[in-house]
C-alpha cells in the first residue's frame, strides 16, 4: 500500500530504477555473441560468401569480363608463351607434328646479344628516344600553352593538331615518302642543299627523320593532355607572380611547370612505351635500311621470328626489349615524381 501510495504521490519507490533512464540490462540477459553480427562498412548484414567475393556491384565484373578475356587471350597468354620460347630450343613445325623443345637456359639471350644486328637495333632505339621524347615534351607543352592563351580559332587548332594522330599510319607515311624521297618535294625545294644520299637512304638522317615523324604524328594526343592540365591551373597564381615582379618566363617556370609535372611524367612514360613498339614506321619507310640504320628491336623480332623462322631468338629479343622498356620507364617515373 505504501509503494502504491508513493507512486500516486509522484514519489519513487525504493529499489525502482531512476525515472527517465533505461535500465541497464544484466549481463546474464545479454544476447549471445554468436547472435550478434559485426557491421562491416560496405557490406550488408547477412551477405553471402559469394557476395563477399563479387563485391557490392557484381554487374561491374560482368561489364569488364569481355575486356578481361581480351587482355588474357591477346596479351597475357602470348606473353607467357613467348617467355617459355625464349628459354627453349623452339622452331615452327607442321600442324600435328610433335617434336621435343629442350630447355637451353640463357643460350638464346647470349646468342642474340652477341650479334651486331641486335646491338645496332637497340642503339637505333636509344637514338630515337633521345630525339623523340624531349622533342615531344617541349613541343606539346609549348603548343598547349599557346592554345590555352589563344582566344580565337582554339577549336580549329585542336582538331588540326589531333588529325594526324587519328589518321592511319599508312596514309601519313605515304605523304612523308612523297616529301622525303630522292626526287621528293623537300629535295626539290632545297635544290643544291639537299642531302646526298637522300633522307631515307642516308644512314645518318633516316633515324632522326623517323623520330620527327613519330613526334609529329603523336603530338596532338599529348597536346590535349597538357591542355587539360593547363586549364586546371588557377589564373590567380600567374597574376600573383606577375604582380610580384616576375616575368612571363619566370612565372611559367614557377607556376606552370610544377602544375603540369604529373602530365609530363605521363607523357614521358607513354613516349617510352611508344618507342619500344616502334615497328610500322621503319618497316614501311625503309624496311630497316640502309644497312640497318633504321632497324628497331620490334622490327628485328619480326624478321627473326617470321621471315627467318627463329622464334626462340625472336622471343629472347622481345623479352630483352620488354625488360629494358620497364627499367627505363620506372627510372623516368621515379625521377619525375620525386619531391
Amino acid at each position: 500500500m505504501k509503494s502504491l501510495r508513493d507512486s500516486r504521490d509522484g514519489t519513487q519507490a525504493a529499489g525502482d530504477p531512476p525515472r527517465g533512464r533505461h535500465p541497464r540490462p544484466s549481463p546474464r540477459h545479454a544476447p549471445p555473441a554468436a547472435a550478434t553480427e559485426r557491421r562491416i562498412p560496405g557490406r550488408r548484414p547477412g551477405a553471402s560468401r559469394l557476395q563477399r567475393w563479387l563485391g557490392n556491384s557484381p554487374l561491374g565484373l560482368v561489364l569488364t569480363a569481355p575486356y578481361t578475356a581480351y587482355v588474357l587471350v591477346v596479351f597475357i597468354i602470348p606473353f607467357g608463351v613467348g617467355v617459355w620460347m625464349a628459354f627453349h630450343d623452339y622452331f615452327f613445325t607442321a600442324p600435328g607434328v610433335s617434336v621435343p623443345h629442350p630447355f637451353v637456359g640463357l643460350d638464346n639471350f647470349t646468342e642474340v646479344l652477341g650479334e651486331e644486328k641486335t646491338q645496332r637495333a637497340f642503339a637505333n632505339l636509344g637514338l630515337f628516344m633521345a630525339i623523340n621524347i624531349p622533342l615531344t615534351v617541349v613541343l606539346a607543352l609549348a603548343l598547349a600553352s599557346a592554345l590555352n592563351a589563344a582566344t580565337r580559332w582554339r577549336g580549329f587548332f585542336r582538331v588540326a593538331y589531333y588529325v594526324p594522330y587519328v589518321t592511319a599510319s599508312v596514309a601519313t607515311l605515304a605523304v612523308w615518302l612523297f616529301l622525303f624521297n630522292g626526287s621528293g618535294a623537300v629535295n626539290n625545294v632545297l635544290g643544291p642543299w639537299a642531302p646526298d644520299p637522300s633522307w631515307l637512304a642516308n644512314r645518318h638522317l633516316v633515324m632522326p627523320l623517323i623520330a620527327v615523324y613519330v613526334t609529329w604524328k603523336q603530338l596532338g594526343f599529348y597536346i590535349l593532355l597538357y591542355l587539360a592540365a593547363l586549364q586546371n591551373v588557377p589564373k590567380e597564381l600567374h597574376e600573383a607572380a606577375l604582380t610580384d615582379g616576375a616575368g612571363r618566363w619566370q612565372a611559367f617556370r614557377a607556376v606552370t611547370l610544377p602544375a603540369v609535372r604529373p602530365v609530363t611524367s605521363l607523357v614521358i612514360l607513354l613516349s617510352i612505351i611508344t618507342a619500344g613498339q616502334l615497328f610500322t614506321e621503319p618497316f614501311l619507310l625503309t624496311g630497316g635500311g640502309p644497312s640497318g640504320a633504321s632497324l628497331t628491336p620490334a622490327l628485328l623480332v619480326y624478321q627473326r621470328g617470321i621471315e627467318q623462322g627463329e622464334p626462340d631468338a625472336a622471343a629472347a629479343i622481345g623479352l630483352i626489349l620488354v625488360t629494358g622498356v620497364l627499367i627505363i620507364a620506372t627510372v623516368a617515373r621515379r625521377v619525375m615524381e620525386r619531391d
Side-chain angles (χ1 to χ4, degrees):
M1 296 296 294
K2 182 179 180 181
S3 63
L4 180 60
R5 190 184 318 115
D6 293 338
S7 62
R8 290 178 179 175
D9 296 339
T11 58
Q12 182 177 345
D16 291 343
R19 293 183 179 178
R21 299 181 183 178
H22 296 287
R24 181 175 298 176
S26 175
R28 61 182 180 181
H29 294 94
T36 62
E37 185 174 6
R38 297 177 60 186
R39 292 292 185 116
I40 300 178
R43 182 185 299 174
R44 296 188 300 272
S48 63
R49 181 171 299 180
L50 182 61
Q51 270 185 314
R52 297 174 185 177
W53 280 101
L54 297 180
N56 293 330
S57 300
L59 182 60
L61 294 178
V62 176
L63 296 177
T64 58
Y67 183 74
T68 304
Y70 170 79
V71 172
L72 181 66
V73 173
V74 177
F75 292 101
I76 298 179
I77 294 179
F79 179 76
V81 174
V83 173
W84 181 87
M85 290 167 54
F87 293 95
H88 290 77
D89 182 13
Y90 190 88
F91 51 91
F92 295 124
T93 58
V97 178
S98 179
V99 295
H101 300 290
F103 178 78
V104 295
L106 300 176
D107 290 351
N108 290 327
F109 297 91
T110 305
E111 176 187 352
V112 297
L113 288 175
E115 295 177 352
E116 183 181 357
K117 206 171 186 180
T118 305
Q119 298 170 6
R120 172 66 68 85
F122 280 96
N124 292 339
L125 183 62
L127 176 61
F128 176 87
M129 287 184 175
I131 298 174
N132 170 257
I133 296 176
L135 195 61
T136 297
V137 172
V138 172
L139 290 180
L141 181 56
L143 293 174
S145 301
L147 282 177
N148 191 48
T151 57
R152 300 180 62 182
W153 303 97
R154 180 184 299 181
F156 169 77
F157 285 111
R158 286 183 186 178
V159 175
Y161 287 130
Y162 199 71
V163 165
Y165 178 76
V166 297
T167 305
S169 296
V170 176
T172 54
L173 284 171
V175 176
W176 279 67
L177 279 172
F178 168 76
L179 292 174
F180 292 98
N181 60 21
S183 58
V186 175
N187 284 351
N188 291 333
V189 172
L190 294 177
W193 290 281
D196 185 25
S198 187
W199 303 89
L200 298 177
N202 194 317
R203 60 188 181 92
H204 299 293
L205 297 177
V206 61
M207 206 62 197
L209 181 64
I210 293 176
V212 172
Y213 165 80
V214 175
T215 302
W216 166 78
K217 191 176 189 311
Q218 304 286 335
L219 199 61
F221 174 70
Y222 300 127
I223 287 175
L224 291 184
L225 291 180
Y226 272 120
L227 191 60
L230 290 172
Q231 290 177 350
N232 291 325
V233 179
K235 294 182 179 180
E236 293 79 5
L237 297 178
H238 286 277
E239 295 174 357
L242 295 176
T243 303
D244 292 340
R248 292 192 175 275
W249 172 245
Q250 293 176 329
F252 180 81
R253 291 179 55 188
V255 177
T256 304
L257 287 182
V260 301
R261 191 170 184 177
V263 177
T264 302
S265 177
L266 177 61
V267 170
I268 293 175
L269 180 62
L270 294 177
S271 299
I272 293 173
I273 296 174
T274 300
Q277 298 174 347
L278 186 64
F279 170 82
T280 306
E281 292 79 8
F283 179 74
L284 294 179
L285 283 175
T286 62
S291 302
S294 61
L295 184 65
T296 61
L299 180 57
L300 184 59
V301 168
Y302 170 77
Q303 293 178 349
R304 293 294 295 269
I306 304 301
E307 296 181 349
Q308 302 176 15
E310 299 178 3
D312 50 358
I317 297 172
L319 191 57
I320 295 171
L321 175 62
V322 171
T323 304
V325 168
L326 287 177
I327 293 174
I328 296 174
T330 303
V331 173
R333 181 181 177 184
R334 294 288 180 85
V335 171
M336 289 300 303
E337 295 184 0
R338 66 183 178 184
D339 294 333

